[in-house]
Amino acid sequence: MNTALSPLPDLPMPDTGAMPPPMSPPPPAISRQQKAAIIVRLLLSEGAELSLTDLPEEMQQDLTMQMGSMRSVTRETVTSVVEEFINELESIGLSFAGGLEGALNALNDSINPQLAERLRREGGVKRTGDPWERIMGLEVDRLLPVLEQESTEVAAVMLSKLSVSKAAELLGLLPGPQARRITYAMSLTSAVTPAAVQRIGQALASQLDSVPPKAFDDGPVERVGAILNFSPAITRDDVLEGLEEEDKEFAIQVRKAIFTFANIPARIDPRDVPKITRGVDQAVLVTALAAAEAGGLEESSEFILQNISKRMAEGLREEMKELGQVKDSDGEEAMSAVVAEIRELEAAGEVFFVVGDDE
């Protein structure tokens, strides 16, 4: 009996196709700060314009220090970080600006400005960004009270940061000695560091934010004067008499703010009279002049007639005679129309009121 073992047949090997390439090791674990530095560096290398000034200063500092400590990163690490960054962006459906300041900035044009300022103060939220941009955009009348109360050194920095025209206007509104002290202090500002200027700007912006906003654009004198300008003479005189009894100084200021038909000779430049008469309907002008002559305001009527062309003045005088007696209400309305025209020209800068010695 043949007991020799026959060789085993060759077993077929499973068909697995081509052998896979060796797997590359995963990139080393890196921190989120390093990932942020990689993304920022990559964007800058591609020519992107990044504005990081809205970030907190601590975050800007950390990013700068992180970028300064890194040398080189492998291509595999960059690819992995970019893919992770893109995936995170694509997974975000909606994002909210962080904190109360972010919410206030997002709602800047949608909520009441006074409410926004109150929430900012109560929440202890400081404005982000450059405070000097906000300060430089404010009007002179808003900046002047702050400038008057600040120390000479802070005032010098403030004027140095403002535009030349605005700084000159503010300087001209200050008392002479204070203006001279601030001007001298400006010569010493070359040693002030940028960080100190930034802190001063933040302090000033915070101080300006703490000033309660005004409910009215004009002061009480201007508002009362504007109302009395268009009130009937009997009402105007009665109100002014009452004001003099209650507050004589306020009454004086209101009288200066009032401009009526009687003020025309004292407050209007004779060269501006033709400009005024051109803007008033001739029938209204005739009525106003006739009412003025009949109501004891001959000086105003003559002032107008003497400062227009002789031919036009003669024509107006003829029409005044033909018109006869004018009702008080019609005369008041016509004189108010002339005053309104003068006010409009003055607001447009086409007519300038003459300032008396007592104003």
Side-chain angles (χ1 to χ4, degrees), residues 70-89:
M70 298 174 70
R71 293 296 176 265
S72 61
V73 182
T74 64
R75 185 180 298 276
E76 291 78 8
T77 300
V78 173
T79 301
S80 175
V81 170
V82 170
E83 289 177 351
E84 180 183 345
F85 179 67
I86 292 174
N87 288 335
E88 287 194 11
L89 286 180

Side-chain angles (χ1 to χ4, degrees), residues 45-271:
S45 67
E46 294 296 327
E49 295 184 3
L50 298 180
S51 177
L52 305 176
T53 55
D54 288 339
L55 295 175
E57 286 190 5
E58 296 80 4
M59 192 175 292
Q60 296 182 49
Q61 178 179 332
D62 291 344
L63 177 62
T64 304
M65 298 299 292
Q66 182 64 61
M67 292 181 69
S69 66
M70 298 174 70
R71 293 296 176 265
S72 61
V73 182
T74 64
R75 185 180 298 276
E76 291 78 8
T77 300
V78 173
T79 301
S80 175
V81 170
V82 170
E83 289 177 351
E84 180 183 345
F85 179 67
I86 292 174
N87 288 335
E88 287 194 11
L89 286 180
E90 290 179 345
S91 67
I92 295 175
L94 185 65
S95 63
F96 289 85
L100 179 58
E101 176 63 14
L104 289 171
N105 288 338
L107 296 170
N108 185 45
D109 297 325
S110 303
I111 64 175
N112 187 289
Q114 288 84 358
L115 172 62
E117 290 300 335
R118 181 170 64 80
L119 291 174
R120 183 175 278 107
R121 288 195 301 272
E122 292 176 357
V125 176
K126 293 183 178 179
R127 290 181 177 270
T128 56
D130 186 1
W132 287 109
E133 289 185 6
R134 166 167 151 69
I135 294 170
M136 289 187 287
L138 295 175
E139 298 297 329
V140 168
D141 58 350
R142 186 82 184 276
L143 296 173
L144 183 60
V146 176
L147 186 67
E148 290 173 332
Q149 297 170 7
E150 281 297 339
S151 66
T152 301
E153 294 75 14
V154 170
V157 171
M158 182 177 174
L159 289 184
S160 299
K161 288 291 291 184
L162 296 175
S163 65
V164 174
S165 59
K166 187 169 289 187
E169 187 176 354
L170 281 167
L171 202 62
L173 296 173
L174 295 173
Q178 186 180 9
R180 288 191 292 271
R181 288 195 300 271
I182 294 174
T183 305
Y184 173 71
M186 289 177 69
S187 67
L188 308 176
T189 55
S190 57
V192 182
T193 64
V197 172
Q198 185 73 2
R199 287 196 298 272
I200 291 172
Q202 290 172 346
L204 290 173
S206 177
Q207 185 176 345
L208 287 163
D209 286 342
S210 66
V211 176
K214 294 182 179 179
F216 304 102
D217 294 332
D218 298 324
V221 170
E222 290 76 14
R223 294 199 305 276
V224 173
I227 293 171
L228 294 182
N229 269 328
F230 295 97
S231 300
I234 187 171
T235 302
R236 182 167 55 245
D237 294 340
D238 184 57
V239 169
L240 288 172
E241 287 179 11
L243 284 176
E244 287 180 347
E245 294 176 3
E246 297 291 334
D247 189 338
K248 188 173 182 179
E249 184 59 33
F250 182 69
I252 292 173
Q253 296 301 318
V254 170
R255 285 188 183 276
K256 291 180 180 180
I258 290 175
F259 181 89
T260 65
F261 202 86
N263 300 124
I264 290 176
R267 303 288 302 278
I268 296 297
D269 189 313
R271 294 170 295 183

